[in-house]
Structure formats: C-alpha cells, structure tokens
Amino acid sequence: MQLNLLGKLIQAQLLAIPNQYIDTKMIYSIIMPNHVHFIVSIETGNHAVRLGRIVNKFKGLSTRKAGIPLWQRGYFEHVVRTEAELLAIMKYIENNPARWELRQQNFHI
C-alpha cells in the first residue's frame, strides 16, 4: 500500500515510539486504510511502561498532528509468548493488505 500524507504521519508516530519509551522496540507494523497493526516489545521490570500508555500517547499525538479524529476507542492487544506465535502474527500482518484488496474487489462486484 502506498501511504498518503496521513499514513506517513501515522508511520512517523509509530517509528517514534522507541524514542519516547526507552524500554520499547518496534518489531513490526503496517498501516491499513482504516486501521493499524503493530508489534512492540516492552522490557519487563519495575519501571516498565504499560502498553495502554503507549497506545494512548500514539493515538493522542497522531490525532493532534492530523487535526482530525482518527481512532476508535479501545484497541485489541495480545501478549506474544513464543517465537512461533510471533512469526504467525507477523505473517498475518504482512498478508493483511492483500486480504484488504480482495475484500474491496469482492465488495465492488
């Protein structure tokens, strides 16, 4: 998918997450026309940041910079526990644009 200006703004906010929280690492992400998928690694410990804080800041900053409402309330989260699970989720995310395109083509038939 080609990112428009709004997509590029959202991409910049995703890539900034590790700079905002030193104990995080962006593992994988993809921006879709109506949603975002991302996998972030959060180091555990006494001062570990919570995912909710990361998501809320991401949504808030991207909405303020865009100047328009972007996000629905809430989000879906899943704790990845194994490398096999991580690879399966990454494959799902990677294939999401192709599935989106197929749904759009079927919708217009």
Side-chain angles (χ1 to χ4, degrees), residues 55-56 59 70-76:
V55 172
N56 287 338
K59 286 179 166 185
L70 296 175
W71 311 107
Q72 67 183 22
R73 293 184 76 152
Y75 57 93
F76 177 78

Side-chain angles (χ1 to χ4, degrees), residues 1 30 32-33 35 37 88-107:
M1 293 196 163
I30 193 160
M32 299 293 295
H35 65 282
H37 292 279
I89 292 169
M90 289 173 69
K91 185 174 182 174
Y92 171 84
I93 293 171
E94 182 179 322
N95 291 328
N96 205 267
R99 285 190 306 275
W100 170 270
E101 190 63 37
L102 278 174
R103 284 192 306 269
Q104 297 309 304
Q105 289 173 4
N106 290 335
F107 182 73

Side-chain angles (χ1 to χ4, degrees), residues 18-103:
N19 297 329
Q20 296 163 348
Y21 302 101
I22 59 170
D23 294 336
T24 64
K25 181 179 176 186
M26 186 60 63
I27 303 296
Y28 199 72
S29 65
I30 193 160
I31 300 164
M32 299 293 295
N34 67 346
H35 65 282
V36 174
H37 292 279
F38 67 91
I39 301 171
V40 63
S41 170
I42 303 172
E43 292 294 321
T44 58
N46 291 339
H47 301 290
V49 65
R50 298 204 183 274
L51 180 62
R53 183 175 180 154
I54 293 170
V55 172
N56 287 338
K57 187 170 185 177
F58 162 73
K59 286 179 166 185
L61 287 174
S62 57
T63 296
R64 275 192 290 281
K65 289 186 178 196
I68 57 172
L70 296 175
W71 311 107
Q72 67 183 22
R73 293 184 76 152
Y75 57 93
F76 177 78
E77 67 180 79
H78 178 78
V79 177
V80 179
R81 301 197 186 278
T82 67
E83 184 176 348
E85 188 178 10
L86 174 63
L87 294 174
I89 292 169
M90 289 173 69
K91 185 174 182 174
Y92 171 84
I93 293 171
E94 182 179 322
N95 291 328
N96 205 267
R99 285 190 306 275
W100 170 270
E101 190 63 37
L102 278 174
R103 284 192 306 269

